[in-house]
């Protein structure tokens, strides 16, 4: 049974695209058949993060509008065989996506893949609502700061009202992924605490991704962080999050800085 | 005793005032027989019939029309309601406001299901969402997020944290209050009077608190 997962946040720049690539790759490494779909029409980035920017011929808009077949637009990853990308168009805008077209494409993807990871654009307009429209699961990407938390709260409200599942009276599974978590700043009280964010958003925590140079390095090289340096802290956090999505129970650890050693982790259970 | 309703031009503000009165005194108008005196508007072409329609759509039970030439009503459904001359008008009636719902729930006709006077919200109210319930109290079991709002005709009870706005007593209920388990609100309002967070300062921040109306000001106090 295929699962449609939307990576969303409301706010821009919190790490949706990085997360889509990293989670998609991690799920593929677990043997799942995965496609990551870029819904950010007009401002596409996922192809860069995945290192596929020179291989894009057709895109999501072409398929939605019936100008290309799905198989023509899908780009298979060169590192992990079971990972594919459906890129967005850079030259069009979000109005080029139609609800009927998106529904048809998502339906076709469901037949081919185990996981359809939809990388949502920022905002709450057409692009974002169409990206979440057919989701079964939502990963809400949030930074530990107030504006990101409030925007995430807004998005959770939309997930509970505007998705196809919500309109049919079904529940949509929602998970919180805290990204750019800086242990040093947390220790100095310069960021919201994990418990504060969980208390405000009131959805289960999928993982905490530490703020790390590794993420930037991997992005610049066009490689999901989970593939680029699997031993790094963010890669391990994403890999654990992917296992939790698969139903495994893995304890969540909050990164703690101590004596300047960022990499030292101390076990701690969170809600 | 029939109630005499006598409109004064211009009609639009008069009707708006009537709407307000009906909203505040719904109980008073239920099944109350009404005689309409159209003397003040009889010279305006079309106005008398239009006005009668306006009253009907507001649910008033019109039993008679007076103060107007019978010919104006001819052919309309009001022809039978015409009354010769004017009925005696020996005293003005003070239309009483409904009692606050907490003291006496509105009596409802037996044929209708009881009107809902209390709304219970069992999940958190998210940023950008509005819960609007003018018929009575609202209880929220979760939290109300920053950028969310609750608008109630009666009181508001929040068992989680209140981070957004709570607007109570919107239809002129001065007895309405706001209660919350943890106060981080952006704005509190009762019967049109409001306070923003900077007014109450840090002392109540995060504490269980209530807000009520004391004359012309919103008062806040911890619930401990």
């Amino acid at each position: 049974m295929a699962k449609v997962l939307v990576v969303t946040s409301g706010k821009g720049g919190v790490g949706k695209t990085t997360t889509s690539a990293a989670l998609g790759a991690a799920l593929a490494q677990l043997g799942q058949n995965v496609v990551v779909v870029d819904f950010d029409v007009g401002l596409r980035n996922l192809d860069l993060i995945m290192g596929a920017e020179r291989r894009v011929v057709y895109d999501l808009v072409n398929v939605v509008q019936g100008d290309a077949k799905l198989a023509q637009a899908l780009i298979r990853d060169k590192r992990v065989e079971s990972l594919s990308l459906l890129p967005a168009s850079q030259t069009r805008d979000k109005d080029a996506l139609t609800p009927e077209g998106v529904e048809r494409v998502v339906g076709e993807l469901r037949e081919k893949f185990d996981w359809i990871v939809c990388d949502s654009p920022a905002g709450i307009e057409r692009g974002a609502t169409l990206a979440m429209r057919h989701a079964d699961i939502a990963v809400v990407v949030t930074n530990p700061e107030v504006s990101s938390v409030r925007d995430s709260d807004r998005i959770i409200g939309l997930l509970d009202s505007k998705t196809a599942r919500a309109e049919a009276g079904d529940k949509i599974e929602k998970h919180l992924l805290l990204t750019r978590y800086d242990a040093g700043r947390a220790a100095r009280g310069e960021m919201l605490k994990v418990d504060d964010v969980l208390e405000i958003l009131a959805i289960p925590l999928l993982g905490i991704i530490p703020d790390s140079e590794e993420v930037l390095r991997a992005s610049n090289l066009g490689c999901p962080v989970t593939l680029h340096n699997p031993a790094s802290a963010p890669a391990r956090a994403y890999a654990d999050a992917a296992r939790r999505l698969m139903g495994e129970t893995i304890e969540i650890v909050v990164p703690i800085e101590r004596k300047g050693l960022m990499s030292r982790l101390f076990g701690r259970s969170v809600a | 005793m029939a109630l005499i309703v006598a409109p004064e031009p211009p009609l639009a503000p008069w009707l708006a005032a009537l709407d307000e009165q009906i909203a505040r005194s719904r109980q008073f108008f239920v099944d109350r027989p009404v005689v309409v005196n159209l003397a003040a508007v009889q010279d305006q072409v079309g106005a008398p019939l239009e006005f009668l329609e306006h009253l009907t759509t507001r649910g008033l039970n019109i039993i008679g029309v007076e103060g107007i030439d019978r010919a104006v009503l001819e052919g309309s459904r009001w022809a039978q309601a015409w009354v010769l001359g004017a009925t005696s008008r020996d005293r003005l009636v003070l239309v009483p406001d409904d009692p606050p719902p907490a003291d006496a729930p509105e009596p409802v006709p037996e044929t209708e299901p009881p009107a809902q006077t209390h709304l219970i919200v069992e999940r958190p109210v998210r940023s950008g969402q509005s819960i609007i319930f003018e018929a009575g109290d609202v209880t929220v079991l979760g939290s109300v997020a920053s950028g969310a709002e609750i608008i109630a005709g009666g009181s508001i009870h929040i068992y989680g944290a209140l981070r957004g706005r709570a607007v109570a007593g919107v239809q002129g209920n001065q007895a309405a209050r706001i209660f919350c388990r943890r106060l981080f609100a952006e704005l509190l309002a009762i019967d049109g009077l409001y306070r923003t967070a900077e007014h109450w300062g840090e002392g109540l921040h995060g504490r269980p608190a209530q807000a009520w109306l004391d004359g012309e000001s919103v008062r806040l106090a911890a619930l401990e």
Side-chain angles (χ1 to χ4, degrees):
Chain A
M1 183 71 186
K3 284 188 174 171
V4 179
L5 181 153
V6 63
V7 177
T8 187
S9 71
K11 194 174 183 323
V14 295
K16 285 182 296 296
T17 302
T18 301
T19 296
S20 299
L23 274 184
L27 285 166
Q29 284 178 303
L30 293 171
Q32 299 286 297
N33 220 344
V34 182
V35 62
V36 286
V37 185
D38 192 348
F39 272 85
D40 205 347
V41 177
L43 290 170
R44 76 174 194 215
N45 282 327
L46 191 55
D47 54 330
L48 289 171
I49 306 293
M50 302 275 290
E53 71 276 14
R54 298 202 191 103
R55 301 168 64 201
V56 176
V57 181
Y58 294 107
D59 55 50
L60 176 64
V61 171
N62 297 136
V63 182
V64 162
Q65 298 190 337
D67 300 330
K69 289 201 166 65
L70 184 59
Q72 292 175 291
L74 286 172
I75 301 171
R76 182 166 288 191
D77 191 89
K78 286 182 170 169
R79 296 150 297 209
V80 185
E81 201 189 332
S82 61
L83 178 63
S84 297
L85 166 70
L86 181 55
S89 168
Q90 182 72 350
T91 53
R92 311 293 292 273
D93 60 36
K94 269 85 175 171
D95 294 336
L97 295 176
T98 60
E100 303 75 27
V102 169
E103 183 174 7
R104 178 176 55 78
V105 172
V106 171
E108 284 182 44
L109 290 170
R110 276 184 194 272
E111 288 167 20
K112 289 177 184 276
F113 296 95
D114 302 319
W115 291 87
I116 297 115
V117 178
C118 303
D119 181 23
S120 171
I124 52 173
E125 288 79 24
R126 190 183 183 87
T129 49
L130 282 176
M132 70 170 66
R133 179 75 196 157
H134 303 286
D136 306 305
I137 303 174
V139 171
V140 180
V141 180
T142 306
N143 292 168
E145 47 105 8
V146 286
S147 57
S148 174
V149 171
R150 185 161 74 179
D151 289 359
S152 292
D153 196 61
R154 180 85 166 95
I155 280 291
I156 295 169
L158 294 178
L159 287 167
D160 283 334
S161 58
K162 299 281 189 201
T163 52
R165 268 182 173 259
E167 284 173 9
D170 285 341
K171 283 226 162 114
I172 177 163
E173 212 179 288
K174 300 174 292 281
H175 299 277
L176 175 68
L177 189 71
L178 261 186
T179 54
R180 304 210 156 159
Y181 187 86
D182 185 325
R185 292 182 57 209
R188 293 192 295 275
E190 294 168 10
M191 281 188 334
L192 285 179
K193 295 188 180 69
V194 175
D195 290 344
D196 292 342
V197 179
L198 285 173
E199 207 267 328
I200 291 172
L201 295 180
I203 57 172
L205 183 64
L206 181 68
I208 303 169
I209 314 298
D211 197 21
S212 165
E213 298 271 316
E214 278 299 326
V215 176
L216 192 62
R217 206 169 294 144
S219 295
N220 287 336
L221 289 170
C223 185
V225 67
T226 35
L227 298 182
H228 177 252
N229 183 359
S232 65
R236 278 183 288 143
Y238 274 122
D240 283 352
R243 289 182 182 277
R244 291 184 195 107
L245 283 174
M246 296 283 295
E248 283 186 45
T249 307
I250 304 170
E251 195 185 17
I252 294 177
V253 292
V254 179
I256 293 178
E257 187 187 54
R258 198 167 276 196
K259 292 168 190 166
L261 281 176
M262 270 281 284
S263 55
R264 258 178 93 177
L265 302 178
F266 288 82
R268 178 169 172 235
S269 73
V270 178
Chain B
M1 181 185 72
L3 186 71
I4 297 174
V5 175
E8 292 153 9
L11 280 186
W14 193 90
L15 284 168
L18 177 71
D19 282 346
E20 261 184 56
Q21 185 68 62
I22 291 177
R24 271 186 287 135
S25 316
R26 208 169 287 286
Q27 213 178 311
F28 180 82
F29 285 98
V30 169
D31 292 334
R32 170 87 50 180
V34 170
V35 174
V36 187
N37 184 310
L38 293 173
V41 294
Q42 63 177 335
D43 298 324
Q44 298 175 32
V45 176
L49 291 179
E50 188 195 337
F51 177 73
L52 289 170
E53 286 303 328
H54 279 305
L55 290 186
T56 317
T57 57
R58 282 164 175 78
L60 293 193
N61 176 23
I62 299 172
I63 58 158
V65 181
E66 61 172 29
I68 193 168
D69 192 337
R70 187 173 199 168
V72 177
L73 300 176
E74 215 63 80
S76 78
R77 56 178 161 142
W78 311 109
Q80 298 301 317
W82 185 76
V83 182
L84 180 62
T87 43
S88 67
R89 233 180 291 176
D90 47 6
R91 64 190 182 104
L92 288 171
V93 178
L94 183 67
V95 178
D97 286 3
D98 286 353
D103 301 334
E106 231 176 69
V108 286
E110 285 172 6
T111 48
E112 288 179 25
Q116 200 189 359
T117 59
H118 197 153
L119 179 71
I120 296 179
V121 181
E122 293 198 49
R123 55 187 196 178
V125 183
R126 302 287 183 182
S127 186
Q129 294 178 335
S130 280
I131 305 284
I132 301 171
F133 184 70
E134 296 189 358
D137 291 9
V138 174
T139 300
V140 181
L141 296 181
S143 292
V144 177
S146 167
E149 64 184 9
I150 309 290
I151 297 173
S155 296
I156 297 173
H157 311 259
I158 295 161
Y159 284 89
L162 170 57
R163 299 188 172 88
R165 297 179 160 199
V167 178
V170 282
Q171 289 180 342
N173 183 354
Q174 301 182 350
R177 294 191 180 205
I178 298 166
F179 305 89
C180 66
R181 202 140 90 174
R182 277 182 304 144
L183 179 73
F184 301 99
E186 292 161 348
L187 179 145
L188 300 176
I190 300 172
D191 187 23
L193 295 166
Y194 67 89
R195 280 274 175 271
T196 54
E198 62 181 4
H199 281 98
W200 62 79
E202 292 292 309
L204 290 170
H205 200 71
R207 296 176 66 187
Q210 65 159 325
W212 71 98
L213 209 53
D214 181 9
E216 287 292 295
S217 62
V218 177
R219 301 271 301 265
L220 279 95
L223 276 176
E224 285 166 320

